[in-house]
Amino acid sequence: MTEPTAGTPGTPGREGRAGTEQEAEWQRLDKRMLLIHPIQTFVRALPALLAIFVVQLGSDDSDRWELIVLPVIVAFGLLRWVTTRYRISADQIELRRGLLNKQTTTARLDKVRSVDLTAEVHHRLLGLARVEVSTGSAARERLVLDSLGVEEGRRLRAELLHRVDPDVITLPPPTGQPAGLEPPRSAPGPAGGDEELLRLEPSWVRFAPFTMTGIGSAAAIFGFASQGLGRFSEEGYVLEAGADWVRRLAWWVDVLGILVLVSALAIAAYLLSFWGFRLTRNRTGSLHTRRGLLTSREVGIDHTRVRGVELGEPLGLRLAGARRLKAVSTGLQGETGGGSDWLAPPAPRAVVLPVATAVTGDAEAVSGPLVPHGPAARRRRLTRAMLLPVVVALALGTGLPLWDWPGWLLWVVLPLGVAGWFLGLDRYAGLGHAVTPAHLVSRSGSLDRNRVVLTRNGVIGWKVRQSFFQRRAGVVTLVATTAAGQQHYDLLDLTTDRAYELVDELSPELFAQFPDACATA
């Protein structure tokens, strides 16, 4: 099923090629995709088929056009498999597809940043996986092979990420890793195998309702239920009696029911996303994750692309004693919704922190104390947190005499003020930074708090930003730019002197580009 192409040396260790350098061969996708491609083509053409069927119902024409179109769709799906080929040469991977409109996609092997294996239900039934090779974070920088056998996809991932023969059982120790990313020497994996850093425990589903997703789902369901019940009551639907019965229930019963429903939905979403989650690291230092209930996904992250970790500490997980962990790496889809950056799902803090330490090799950066940002930062957080209670108090103070509003509304200001005050204190408690020999650490937020551990050599630039109100308070925002993750990470409300001290300490070669700082130095 392969067609030789002259002139390009092959990569050893692949099926159908010798271990010595030879001509690279064009290879086809797995034969089992002959069962998948026609179905995928049929699903895409389904709206057109339905339109033809509806037109035929109102026509006297006895020709069954849909019976003619179906074989064409099947043939087109088969043609897609026949005209799709790929090969791996010494320096790039190529994908060629199309008959009349031929397209060739290439990706340099030294630019490969991650390799994802995704298997939806129909892929899993046939033992297939969709291989996605990424050379950047944008969709146009991805090469997709849909699909290969699962084992062949894993061998291809090993070959692309590690540049070694995947048939070799024992791999050499990692070399050339960025500072602070050395694998821990304790807890080695089995001989010839990968080191397991994390495996999902079923009991961790208890943390699902405490995520921000669960809280958002509660608000959405409450609004939808309120509108739906009102509609049933007003328009006289068949369910009117049931809707009225629900509305007559005590308020605490409604709240309890919503909490149970939201918790059930959050747990279901947790299981769909993270079932079977497993994080491993091979002897080259590269990370691999596997997860998913219906759609399984395997992600390989080249260790040379990892620039740190992001430790999620939202309020709900903090109250439950849990954390979550993501990778700060180049070429992943986490920032675009793909979820490739997960290193640990919501799990106990005592489990997540050791994983973060194992990945970064820096326990001080992961769990050490942070430097507070000073009184000005504290005043700004308290001022902004108390802004809503003050606005509400002014509105009520105006409305009571003008429109005869009930006086008990003033009691609303008290809980708002107390909540705002504690929110401001919590936001300041979560604000801080630290510098270790290998990393820059920043943390901010309250309801959605994150602690970012970024390698010092992963910072490629700095920006000092100051708003009008920050100028009055004498603070600035220091922005560390990087090619990984969100592309930039902010250190909020630092004093001006401290911001320039950090730039001088972490990037002395860039310090001269800040004339204001040099003038005060």
Side-chain angles (χ1 to χ4, degrees):
M1 298 303 294
T2 60
E3 182 176 307
T5 301
T8 309
T11 302
R14 299 273 312 149
E15 218 174 286
R17 283 173 288 178
T20 59
E21 197 173 277
Q22 63 176 4
E23 295 179 350
E25 299 177 343
W26 285 102
Q27 302 184 70
R28 298 191 192 277
L29 302 177
D30 195 281
K31 292 181 180 179
R32 286 168 287 186
M33 285 306 296
L34 289 170
L35 300 174
I36 301 296
H37 281 159
I39 297 176
Q40 292 176 335
T41 305
F42 174 78
V43 171
R44 294 191 187 99
L46 190 59
L49 290 176
L50 291 176
I52 294 175
F53 179 75
V54 171
V55 171
Q56 288 286 344
L57 289 178
S59 173
D60 295 333
D61 191 356
S62 59
D63 294 334
R64 303 301 302 272
W65 289 99
E66 64 272 18
L67 299 181
I68 300 175
V69 174
L70 283 175
V72 173
I73 292 176
V74 174
F76 186 81
L78 297 177
L79 186 64
R80 178 183 172 189
W81 179 84
V82 172
T83 58
T84 302
R85 300 180 183 184
Y86 73 97
R87 69 176 179 181
I88 304 175
S89 64
D91 58 354
Q92 66 181 9
I93 177 173
E94 299 177 71
L95 174 64
R96 182 175 294 176
R97 55 188 176 182
L99 181 62
L100 300 178
N101 184 23
K102 291 186 177 181
Q103 297 180 0
T104 301
T105 305
T106 61
R108 288 178 52 184
L109 298 185
D110 60 348
K111 297 296 183 182
V112 172
R113 297 177 177 178
S114 67
V115 180
D116 297 6
L117 271 64
T118 305
E120 299 180 1
V121 176
H122 54 277
H123 289 99
R124 297 178 68 178
L125 291 175
L126 297 175
L128 300 173
R130 181 174 179 264
V131 181
E132 189 167 349
V133 182
S134 170
T135 59
S137 58
R140 63 179 179 276
E141 297 173 315
R142 305 183 190 281
L143 186 149
V144 180
L145 302 176
D146 189 10
S147 293
L148 304 177
V150 173
E151 293 304 321
E152 179 66 8
R154 290 172 179 169
R155 288 169 57 87
L156 177 61
R157 178 181 62 191
E159 183 176 349
L160 294 178
L161 286 182
H162 314 319
R163 316 287 187 271
V164 298
D165 185 346
D167 292 331
V168 176
I169 297 178
T170 56
L171 300 175
T175 58
Q177 294 193 166
L181 294 180
E182 292 80 10
R185 291 174 175 77
S186 59
D194 294 343
E195 175 192 5
E196 184 176 274
L197 300 179
L198 182 71
R199 182 186 291 268
L200 180 73
E201 294 288 342
S203 61
W204 296 351
V205 299
R206 68 183 185 273
F207 299 118
F210 295 96
T211 61
M212 294 302 295
T213 303
I215 297 174
S217 300
I221 292 175
F222 181 80
F224 176 79
S226 299
Q227 293 181 1
L229 292 177
R231 184 182 178 188
F232 289 146
S233 178
E234 292 172 3
E235 301 185 12
Y237 278 70
V238 177
L239 299 178
E240 178 181 350
D244 288 340
W245 176 79
V246 172
R247 295 179 67 182
R248 287 195 300 269
L249 293 176
W251 66 268
W252 62 269
V253 176
D254 293 338
V255 172
L256 181 62
I258 291 175
L259 290 177
V260 171
L261 178 59
V262 169
S263 298
L265 292 175
I267 290 173
Y270 187 99
L271 293 176
L272 288 173
S273 297
F274 300 115
W275 179 259
F277 189 97
R278 185 169 179 257
L279 172 66
T280 60
R281 177 172 55 195
N282 61 25
R283 295 193 60 190
T284 67
S286 295
L287 301 170
H288 301 276
T289 61
R290 182 183 303 179
R291 64 186 179 92
L293 182 59
L294 298 180
T295 298
S296 66
R297 186 169 192 181
E298 299 182 23
V299 179
I301 307 174
D302 188 351
H303 68 283
T304 62
R305 309 292 183 179
V306 177
R307 298 294 179 265
V309 297
E310 180 177 317
L311 194 63
E313 306 174 353
L315 178 61
L317 290 184
R318 294 203 308 273
L319 294 177
R323 298 291 188 272
R324 64 189 180 205
L325 187 66
K326 294 185 178 183
V328 177
S329 178
T330 58
L332 294 183
Q333 301 182 59
E335 60 272 15
T336 58
S340 299
D341 52 357
W342 282 102
L343 295 181
R349 181 179 183 272
V351 173
V352 176
L353 293 187
V355 174
T357 302
V359 173
T360 62
D362 192 345
E364 181 184 357
V366 171
S367 56
L370 301 180
V371 178
H373 287 193
R378 184 174 183 268
R379 284 195 302 270
R380 279 174 53 80
R381 267 134 196 83
L382 289 174
T383 299
R384 286 187 288 183
M386 295 301 295
L387 184 60
L388 177 61
V390 170
V391 171
V392 172
L394 291 176
L396 291 177
T398 304
L400 286 176
L402 292 180
W403 297 290
D404 294 329
W405 288 353
W408 60 265
L409 288 177
L410 288 174
W411 289 101
V412 176
V413 178
L414 181 61
L416 281 179
V418 174
W421 182 262
F422 281 104
L423 177 63
L425 293 178
D426 186 62
R427 290 187 64 202
Y428 178 71
L431 185 65
H433 70 278
V435 177
T436 71
H439 294 91
L440 168 67
V441 184
S442 68
R443 187 180 68 182
S444 62
S446 176
L447 299 179
D448 189 17
R449 179 179 298 173
N450 291 298
R451 180 177 181 134
V452 178
V453 180
L454 187 65
T455 57
R456 294 172 61 155
N457 57 10
V459 179
I460 61 177
W462 299 94
K463 180 193 298 184
V464 178
R465 191 174 62 226
Q466 189 176 46
S467 67
F468 170 78
F469 295 104
Q470 284 181 314
R471 285 198 299 272
R472 293 180 60 86
V475 295
V476 299
T477 295
L478 180 62
V479 182
T481 59
T482 177
Q486 299 177 10
Q487 314 299 314
H488 69 89
Y489 294 93
D490 300 345
L491 283 75
L492 303 175
D493 290 348
L494 290 168
T495 62
T496 305
D497 292 341
R498 179 54 181 164
Y500 289 127
E501 287 176 3
L502 287 175
V503 175
D504 190 23
E505 179 180 0
L506 297 172
S507 304
E509 70 282 1
L510 299 178
F511 182 70
Q513 300 180 15
F514 293 89
D516 294 340
C518 296
T520 58

